[in-house]
Amino acid sequence: MPDGRPSPRRTTDQAWLITGPLALLATLCSVVLALVAEPPPGNLAIAAVLFVAMAAAAIQALQIVIRRQALEVIVTEIPLVLAFYFLPPLTVVLIAALAALIGQLRRRLSPPKVWFNVAKAAAAASLAGLVLQALPPAVGVGPRTWIVLFVAVSTNTLVALAAVSGVISLLQGWQAGLEVVRTATAPLLTSMINVVVGLIVLIAIQSTWWSVLLIAVLAVAVILVYRSYAQFLRQHRTLGNMYELARAMTDSGQEGTLADVLLGRIRALMQAEYATLWLPAQGRHPEVLLTARVDGPGLLDFSKLPAALREQAVAQRHAVALGVQLGGDREQLALLRDAGVKDAIVVPLRSGQAVIGTLEVVNRLSDVGHFTPGDTPVFETVAAHAAVALENSRLVDRLRHDAYHDALTKLPNRRRITGALDEAVKIRAPGEVVAVLLFDVDGLRQVNESLGHAAGDKVLVEVAERLRACAPSSALVGRAGGDEFLVTLRLENAEAALELAAQLREQIRDEMVFDALTLDVDTAVGVAVHPDHGSDAASLLQRVDLAATAAKSVPGSVQLFNPALESRSLRRLGLAGDLRRALDEGALEVYFQPKVTLRDRRLVGVECLARWEHPTHGTVSPEDFVAVAEHTGQLGRLTEVVLREGLRRSRDWSHTGQPLAVAVNLAARTLTDQHFPDRVGELLTEYGVPPQRLTLELRESGVLDGTDRPIPTLRRLRDLGVRLSVDDFGTGDSSLAHLRRLPVHEVKVDRSFVQGMATDPGDLAIVNAVVTLSQQFGLAVVAEGVESELTLELLQDIGCEIGQGFLFSRPLPYERLEAWFGAQVDPETISPGESPRLRVVP
């Protein structure tokens, strides 16, 4: 066919399209022979002997299987040579037809095949008889007789071959018929050898009839040798095929095509119509049922074998072989007949003591072929190799899966997501973006430290399940590592990505219960999209990390990447070495911002603030270099520099005859240093400053993190006599009630609420509530960000005690602070034991 597709198979009933013309040819040739040739029957004794010989030869046929059909090589040439020499041609036709009929009935072929073979034998013999009549008559046993008989018998062989090729072309397609012709070299050579042997037998018989005895002995010996040699060839071919099968299984196991190669090779090795692999569901692997069928492209998902026989093989843990030559009980054979199967072998696949599946072969090819008892051990050997190959394949698959998936949550890991992102970027369609969402779980470290890593693992597993359940079906959800989860998918634009990120964050944000403890799960989310924020997976993952880090600075935030985040991150990275040198060389400067009582405007202290003027980058914000100090292990040195400068200036100021109170900011990580309280005590002693003149300010998120981790350090600092203050109160999720269990003395209201008091009733209400409740708890209240007279009056009305802000003074270096003192402090209010009063409020 021009398109190369396999020809459609036809039923054997259509063989009459070839059988009919053959029968007609045999009839016509026989009529001609009856008219022109010697009349039958000739010597009846010789005819009887040759009939027996030809029938025996027809029964013992050699088979060459071509797809579903068997090409039979029948050794009839030897008796045919003798028949054409001793008998009339019409008698030879009759003997050949009757011998073919007996042979076909003996092998229990279907009627269409029986009549085809009979018609073929009659047509071939009758046409050979006509050829014999057309040639010079055979006289004696000389060379001319050899040639005449050789041509006649060869005509018989060629007609038979043409008939077989024609019927197979009809039933299987012209490619199958052409294959018969291509494989006809060996049968034709065998036919020629048989003719030669027949001529030798003829010469021997013509010399003396006693030679029949020697010929009979020689025939028996040849048959025995042939059987031994044929068995040796079959064993050699089987071993070669098994070696090729084992090598193919090894190669295909690495390529992931093991089932295709395994079933195709097994079906060919066992000359079966069907070969089936069955593997039950195991772990994440679903049930496998695949079948290779002769002439069928690809694999099919069904089995011709009844399931009960497969279950029996698994239960008994040994092969189940059923068929004409294999035996089997009546019930099993009945199951085969009901399924339209003539014979089958089922072998369990074993891995150690466990049965991991079965291999099955069904229906030996051709109607005359059957599985034999010798096929069972061969198939069991194949199954043993297959079991090892399948286990190795699953092991490789499991290792590959583990390499690309997180062991705890079973989600794809960063490597798998990186590969998927690269593919998504390559095949992105116009008008869409590839979005990457990074969810950073808040507070996981506190859970691990307070409840143990088992509880932290439960939190991660629960977050993974919630993300997987809430994310769109088109999204790939994975774990990037630690407390970070990634979601990637295609969307219309960056705005859609932000909207989805916010929705997912709200959907996974819910209470999580562990025994009697309830936790709130929250995440900070970073968003990056291709092509806006990166052209490959590496750049997208890097930038979504930056966005998520920025989102963590604002609780509950969803942050879209912008170039400023990257430049800031690169700047921080470059500042690490410069900060170390700045600390070594004393290049950092401490500024001071006054703290003033709001009722009578008395100066009660200053807040110490570190400042850094970089020789290249200019002024570096405290947020940047404090973050660098935290990540490079220099936070302790930075804190000590500010402490030393603040305590030294407090000791040296003598405006009121006593040191001025100072406040120093602490990072949350400082509270994890168990040696920090001792160091504070040493510095207070070194500079001779009373502990109550030192206030340590901590951000709300640092002391109210949901755990008791900072409490021991806070208590040790309180026992030193140091005052403790909660800075930026109101920006977190805690309440004033949480402060009751902490040893703090002061609350600082965040500037964002103070600055909005004059215009936002909500901010005014918040500040009022903080002031009122703090005073009830015995805590001092400091308002940050006082920048207008109206704000000052409102704070005075609600009873706030202390304030700081630009209304009084910006943060100033020590020299300018001295000038500010001279300009703002009323000399008449300076008296021992009292704080100085400001002269005016600018």
Side-chain angles (χ1 to χ4, degrees):
M1 300 175 66
D3 58 0
R5 293 176 295 182
S7 302
R9 293 190 297 270
R10 298 180 174 89
T11 63
T12 55
D13 293 338
Q14 292 179 318
W16 288 108
L17 296 174
I18 301 295
T19 303
L22 287 175
L24 180 60
L25 176 63
T27 302
L28 294 175
C29 291
S30 297
V31 171
V32 175
L33 286 174
L35 296 175
V36 301
E38 178 185 353
N43 191 319
L44 292 179
I46 295 177
V49 172
L50 292 177
F51 169 73
V52 173
M54 293 183 70
I59 293 173
Q60 297 296 325
L62 303 178
Q63 293 183 13
I64 301 175
V65 177
I66 305 297
R67 297 186 180 178
R68 292 175 176 268
Q69 304 299 324
L71 173 63
E72 296 181 352
V73 179
I74 302 176
V75 189
T76 58
E77 289 86 358
I78 296 175
L80 196 60
V81 169
L82 300 177
F84 277 131
Y85 183 82
F86 289 111
L87 300 174
L90 203 54
T91 303
V92 177
V93 173
L94 180 61
I95 290 174
L98 290 176
L101 177 61
I102 292 174
Q104 306 310 308
L105 294 177
R106 175 67 175 77
R107 290 195 297 275
R108 300 177 181 178
L109 294 183
S110 60
K113 287 194 173 185
V114 170
W115 297 120
F116 166 77
N117 283 288
V118 171
K120 177 194 68 175
S126 61
L127 191 58
L130 286 179
V131 171
L132 184 65
Q133 290 299 311
L135 294 173
V139 178
V141 291
R144 189 176 69 173
T145 300
W146 300 349
I147 295 173
V148 170
L149 292 177
F150 184 85
V151 172
V153 176
S154 296
T155 301
N156 181 87
T157 302
L158 292 174
V159 172
L161 178 61
V164 171
S165 177
V167 77
I168 289 182
S169 298
L170 176 67
L171 300 181
Q172 297 290 328
W174 65 267
Q175 296 96 333
L178 185 61
E179 191 172 350
V180 171
V181 175
R182 283 199 300 263
T183 58
T185 303
L188 289 175
L189 181 61
T190 302
S191 176
M192 294 172 60
I193 294 173
N194 289 337
V195 172
V196 173
V197 172
L199 293 173
I200 294 173
V201 171
L202 175 62
I203 294 172
I205 291 175
Q206 284 293 87
S207 300
T208 174
W209 283 95
W210 290 103
S211 61
V212 173
L213 298 176
L214 298 177
I215 292 171
V217 173
L218 181 61
V220 172
V222 170
I223 291 173
L224 293 177
V225 170
Y226 169 77
R227 287 183 175 179
S228 299
Y229 183 65
Q231 183 178 6
F232 169 76
L233 287 180
R234 284 196 300 271
Q235 292 174 348
H236 178 74
R237 185 169 58 251
T238 300
L239 288 175
N241 290 338
M242 290 182 63
Y243 170 75
E244 292 296 331
L245 174 61
R247 188 172 66 176
M249 285 190 295
T250 302
D251 296 339
S252 62
Q254 300 174 355
E255 300 171 0
T257 58
L258 178 59
D260 302 74
V261 173
L262 175 67
L263 293 176
R265 293 292 185 115
I266 287 177
R267 192 209 57 73
L269 173 66
M270 301 300 295
Q271 294 185 10
E273 184 179 0
Y274 298 95
T276 299
L277 170 67
W278 173 75
L279 299 173
Q282 179 182 3
R284 66 181 184 84
H285 298 283
E287 181 184 14
V288 173
L289 182 64
L290 296 173
T291 296
R293 183 179 64 185
V294 64
D295 291 339
L299 298 180
L300 308 174
D301 57 352
F302 75 94
S303 173
K304 288 284 290 185
L305 189 77
L309 298 178
R310 182 185 307 121
E311 295 169 0
Q312 180 181 350
V314 173
Q316 296 177 354
R317 305 171 64 85
H318 63 72
V320 173
L322 304 170
V324 174
Q325 299 187 30
L326 298 174
D329 60 41
R330 183 176 302 174
E331 182 179 350
Q332 292 174 328
L333 294 175
L335 286 174
L336 284 187
R337 286 194 300 271
D338 294 341
V341 175
K342 67 176 181 179
D343 49 9
I345 304 176
V346 187
V347 178
L349 298 172
R350 288 190 289 268
S351 176
Q353 298 300 317
V355 175
I356 62 171
T358 61
L359 269 181
E360 310 160 10
V361 286
V362 171
N363 291 348
R364 173 60 66 83
L365 286 176
S366 83
D367 291 340
V368 297
H370 297 279
F371 292 123
T372 64
D375 291 323
T376 302
V378 172
F379 195 34
E380 288 179 327
T381 304
V382 171
H385 286 289
V388 173
L390 286 167
E391 278 294 277
N392 290 341
S393 177
R394 283 196 168 183
L395 176 60
V396 170
D397 180 62
R398 186 160 57 247
L399 292 175
R400 186 181 293 113
H401 179 273
D402 292 345
Y404 288 96
H405 288 78
D406 173 54
L408 176 63
T409 62
K410 311 305 179 185
L411 293 176
N413 59 16
R414 180 179 285 268
R415 178 184 297 179
R416 171 72 180 88
I417 294 173
T418 300
L421 262 179
D422 280 329
E423 290 299 319
V425 166
K426 291 178 183 177
I427 62 176
R428 180 185 66 90
E432 67 178 13
V433 299
V434 178
V436 185
L437 285 56
L438 178 61
F439 293 79
D440 191 303
V441 181
D442 291 338
L444 183 65
R445 186 180 67 179
Q446 289 81 357
V447 174
N448 288 332
E449 293 175 354
S450 304
L451 304 177
H453 285 276
D457 290 346
K458 289 182 180 179
V459 171
L460 291 174
V461 171
E462 180 64 22
V463 172
E465 290 297 328
R466 293 180 182 181
L467 263 181
R468 189 156 35 195
C470 298
S473 58
S474 59
L476 176 64
V477 180
R479 183 185 177 196
D483 55 359
E484 296 179 341
F485 293 86
L486 282 165
V487 177
T488 176
L489 74 167
R490 293 184 178 86
L491 292 171
E492 296 82 7
N493 47 48
E495 290 72 21
L498 283 173
E499 182 179 352
L500 176 63
Q503 292 175 358
L504 290 178
R505 178 182 170 274
E506 288 301 321
Q507 289 173 355
I508 66 175
R509 184 183 183 184
D510 199 359
E511 292 182 346
M512 191 179 297
V513 179
F514 293 100
D515 297 329
L517 187 65
T518 300
L519 301 178
D520 287 329
V521 178
D522 200 1
T523 55
V525 190
V527 179
V529 298
H530 166 78
D532 298 347
H533 304 144
S535 58
D536 54 29
S539 59
L540 285 172
L541 292 176
Q542 174 196 356
R543 287 162 181 171
V544 80
D545 273 332
L546 293 174
T549 301
K552 282 190 274 188
S553 62
V554 181
S557 171
V558 176
Q559 175 68 53
L560 180 66
F561 172 80
N562 61 78
L565 297 177
E566 187 168 38
S567 61
R568 184 175 181 181
S569 176
L570 291 173
R571 186 185 182 195
R572 285 185 176 181
L573 185 63
L575 290 176
D578 296 339
L579 178 61
R580 183 178 291 106
R581 286 191 294 272
L583 291 173
D584 292 339
E585 299 169 1
L588 266 70
E589 190 174 359
V590 177
Y591 278 43
F592 305 90
Q593 185 174 31
K595 299 169 69 174
V596 179
T597 59
L598 300 180
R599 184 63 60 185
D600 53 8
R601 295 178 176 82
R602 290 186 179 274
L603 179 66
V604 294
V606 292
E607 181 178 1
C608 304
L609 302 168
R611 294 293 184 265
W612 183 18
E613 192 71 21
H614 193 279
T616 302
H617 301 294
T619 302
V620 182
S621 70
E623 182 181 358
D624 284 343
F625 67 75
V626 169
V628 170
E630 283 191 278
H631 287 89
T632 58
Q634 302 179 77
L635 183 61
R637 292 187 63 194
L638 176 61
T639 303
E640 184 171 339
V641 166
V642 179
L643 268 174
R644 282 185 175 277
E645 182 65 11
L647 293 176
R648 183 169 71 88
R649 297 304 183 185
S650 177
R651 179 195 62 187
D652 294 345
W653 277 318
S654 58
H655 297 288
T656 61
Q658 59 184 350
L660 195 63
V662 293
V664 176
N665 290 288
L666 296 183
R669 185 172 294 184
T670 304
L671 298 180
T672 63
D673 183 2
Q674 59 181 349
H675 302 294
F676 179 70
D678 296 332
R679 187 59 181 154
V680 172
E682 294 171 359
L683 292 175
L684 288 171
T685 302
E686 179 181 345
Y687 289 100
V689 176
Q692 62 271 18
R693 291 292 182 179
L694 173 63
T695 299
L696 298 178
E697 298 182 359
L698 303 105
R699 293 178 64 89
E700 177 187 358
S701 58
V703 293
L704 297 174
D705 59 358
T707 70
D708 295 334
R709 181 171 50 88
I711 292 180
T713 302
L714 293 176
R715 286 176 177 169
R716 291 177 60 192
L717 291 171
R718 181 197 59 186
D719 293 342
L720 284 175
V722 173
R723 290 176 58 82
L724 300 174
S725 174
V726 178
D727 196 8
D728 297 335
F729 190 82
T731 58
D733 296 330
S734 57
S735 67
L736 281 169
H738 294 157
L739 295 177
R740 300 183 62 185
R741 61 188 182 90
L742 296 177
V744 298
H745 307 86
E746 178 182 281
V747 173
K748 297 186 74 174
V749 184
D750 186 68
R751 67 181 68 249
S752 61
F753 300 112
V754 174
Q755 292 174 348
M757 289 175 58
T759 57
D760 190 339
D763 288 344
L764 177 61
I766 291 174
V767 175
N768 188 19
V770 172
V771 171
T772 302
L773 291 176
S774 297
Q775 291 174 345
Q776 291 179 359
F777 292 153
L779 302 175
V781 181
V782 178
E784 298 181 293
V786 181
E787 298 182 359
S788 67
E789 287 287 352
L790 178 58
T791 301
L792 176 63
E793 293 175 1
L794 292 173
L795 289 170
Q796 289 175 340
D797 292 341
I798 63 178
C800 184
E801 303 167 352
I802 302 171
Q804 67 181 93
F806 292 172
L807 180 65
F808 306 113
S809 173
R810 294 175 178 274
L812 301 171
Y814 175 70
E815 293 77 10
R816 292 182 59 189
L817 184 65
E818 286 288 332
W820 184 86
F821 277 148
Q824 300 300 327
V825 174
D826 186 353
E828 297 180 359
T829 63
I830 300 177
S831 60
E834 291 188 5
S835 300
R837 179 181 296 171
L838 300 184
R839 179 181 297 160
V840 293
V841 177

